[in-house]
Amino acid sequence: MKRIWIWALFSGAFAVACTEFAVVGLLPQIARDLGVSEAAAGQLVTLNAVAFAISAPVLAAVFHRVDRRKVLFGCLTVFALGHVTAGLAPNYPVLLGSRILSGAMMGLYLATAIGAAARLGGEERRASSIATIQAGVNTATALGVPISTLLGHHMGWRVPMFVIGALALLSLGFIATVVPPTGADEGAPLSERLRAVRTAPVLVGLAAITLFWGATFTVYTYLVPLLEQRAGMGSTMVIVVLFIAGICAVVGNVIGGKGADTDSRRTLLITAAITAVALLAVLPLSTDVPQTIALVVVWQLAAWSFVPAVQAALFQAAGEGGELAVSFAVSAFNIGIVAGAGFGGIALDQAGLPGVAVLGGVLGLAALGFVILLVRYVAQREPVGSQAKG
């Protein structure tokens, strides 16, 4: 029971992450009900993501002197109210405003929860604690999205909004019951933390995250056409592979967290290298079903194992600015998704699926270069006695 607090933070991460893509499967319903085009309805996803990316570092900096538990309570309360508003929205502007609000609260919650987990978990379990929070996000993507779509199709698009708000309130109660007091952040002043975030190690780490996640989502965004058109899979097999990829994402987080707790630098290098190789192998190996499935498994396990490892490394590299650096990392992952999908779309238009695969591989190699630099910086920061360990 001693570490049940991590599962309370996990539950909150699951609740807030359900909002990110929850409306994707409901866009036609929303568009018809509110009398807007599906393109306009699509902005409910885009602006939610933009609010998420901006809020994580900005609001984390604004509230860095407030008790972390209070910040978590406030996030979940406002998030729940935003979803009640979404469920009752009489028109498109109100729904859009609620989506922007929920995206902002998601960013602040994740930045705060990851920072709290890193502190409460201690140095020895920092990476695995961060991995548990990230697993909440992955689980929401793997399970929350299809469930919300199913609910919406049977009960209307407003019902999933209420359900997600209710999940946030349940998580709030769980956190209030079991998460120990963390107090306000009484470390270095914000100006000093911002200087720490602007140092070379942190900037290199943020660049590594953006490039790495951009490389991954350059290909992952167009995985379905790759599976269908290059590997020749039918719709049922494609769904199976996507489900396998979701499981690998959750398992990869656990592996990466435990690996980084044991040997942080090696975990970073191995996961980045395997991901780069897997992305380079997409073009030659995606022409056969068994090969493609094996490639997706290796790629997704490695890519998601990288996530907690790089966040723990960034936390360490930033020193006093660790929690602020993690909040920027949350944004960097989101920027990588947006950029990867965008540049992947350009590559698809210009050179087809081979262009997407090549671009993903090139970005993966570039990310590996930045990871090697980050590992060198982390090695310089580690005490002599711990270098043999990690």
Side-chain angles (χ1 to χ4, degrees):
M1 297 293 289
K2 190 175 174 183
R3 273 176 56 86
I4 195 172
W5 57 264
I6 193 66
W7 296 110
L9 295 177
F10 168 95
S11 72
F14 175 84
V16 299
C18 280
T19 195
E20 190 166 20
F21 301 113
V23 301
V24 170
L26 306 173
L27 290 181
Q29 285 187 51
I30 293 172
R32 286 194 304 270
D33 188 36
L34 299 182
V36 297
S37 67
E38 288 194 22
Q43 296 306 307
L44 297 171
V45 179
T46 303
L47 292 181
N48 178 273
V50 171
F52 170 90
I54 293 172
S55 71
V58 173
L59 294 182
V62 170
F63 292 107
H64 80 286
R65 291 294 193 193
V66 181
D67 182 282
R68 293 184 190 90
R69 278 181 19 126
K70 291 182 179 178
V71 175
L72 295 173
F73 294 165
C75 281
L76 293 173
T77 300
V78 174
F79 180 89
L81 289 173
H83 273 269
V84 170
T85 302
L88 298 173
N91 52 47
Y92 177 76
V94 171
L95 180 58
L96 183 61
S98 72
R99 291 289 296 164
I100 293 171
L101 183 64
S102 65
M105 291 302 99
M106 178 184 174
L108 179 57
Y109 178 88
L110 291 179
T112 306
I114 289 171
R119 296 286 183 187
L120 292 171
E123 188 174 346
E124 290 185 356
R125 305 182 78 170
R126 179 177 297 152
S128 58
S129 296
I130 291 173
T132 303
I133 306 302
Q134 186 63 48
V137 178
N138 298 347
T139 306
T141 303
L143 300 179
V145 174
I147 289 173
S148 67
T149 303
L150 187 65
L151 278 174
H153 284 176
H154 286 86
M155 304 176 72
W157 66 268
R158 296 176 186 272
V159 171
M161 302 297 108
F162 292 125
V163 170
I164 294 172
L167 287 175
L169 292 178
L170 289 172
S171 298
L172 191 158
F174 193 9
I175 290 170
T177 303
V178 303
V179 174
T182 57
D185 190 344
E186 300 295 344
L190 182 58
S191 59
E192 188 174 325
R193 292 161 190 262
L194 287 170
R195 282 196 296 272
V197 169
R198 291 197 299 266
T199 58
V202 176
L203 293 176
V204 166
L206 293 174
I209 290 171
T210 304
L211 281 169
F212 183 92
W213 223 228
T216 294
F217 273 84
T218 292
V219 178
Y220 188 78
T221 303
Y222 303 99
L223 181 59
V224 170
L226 274 166
L227 296 176
E228 290 176 342
Q229 297 174 31
R230 287 189 61 81
M233 295 184 190
S235 57
T236 301
M237 197 65 213
V238 168
I239 293 172
V240 170
V241 173
L242 292 176
F243 181 70
I244 290 171
I247 293 174
C248 288
V250 176
V251 174
N253 258 284
V254 176
I255 293 172
K258 293 185 179 300
D261 282 340
T262 304
D263 193 328
S264 59
R265 302 198 303 273
R266 183 177 298 173
T267 300
L268 264 181
L269 286 172
I270 289 175
T271 55
I274 291 176
T275 302
V277 171
L279 290 171
L280 288 169
V282 168
L283 195 57
L285 296 185
S286 61
T287 55
D288 175 81
V289 172
Q291 287 180 175
T292 304
I293 293 174
L295 182 63
V296 169
V297 168
V298 172
W299 167 35
Q300 291 295 290
L301 284 174
W304 286 97
S305 294
F306 174 86
V307 174
V310 75
Q311 287 177 312
L314 200 63
F315 187 96
Q316 181 178 355
E320 287 285 355
E323 290 190 29
L324 190 56
V326 167
S327 71
F328 276 96
V330 170
S331 288
F333 280 113
N334 211 52
I335 291 168
I337 292 173
V338 174
F343 286 114
I346 294 172
L348 184 65
D349 288 340
Q350 298 296 318
L353 290 173
V356 172
V358 170
L359 178 60
V362 170
L363 290 175
L365 286 177
L368 179 59
F370 277 92
V371 169
I372 291 170
L373 284 176
L374 175 61
V375 166
R376 291 180 61 185
Y377 282 125
V378 172
Q380 291 168 8
R381 272 196 171 273
E382 287 183 347
V384 174
S386 69
Q387 287 189 15
K389 179 185 174 183

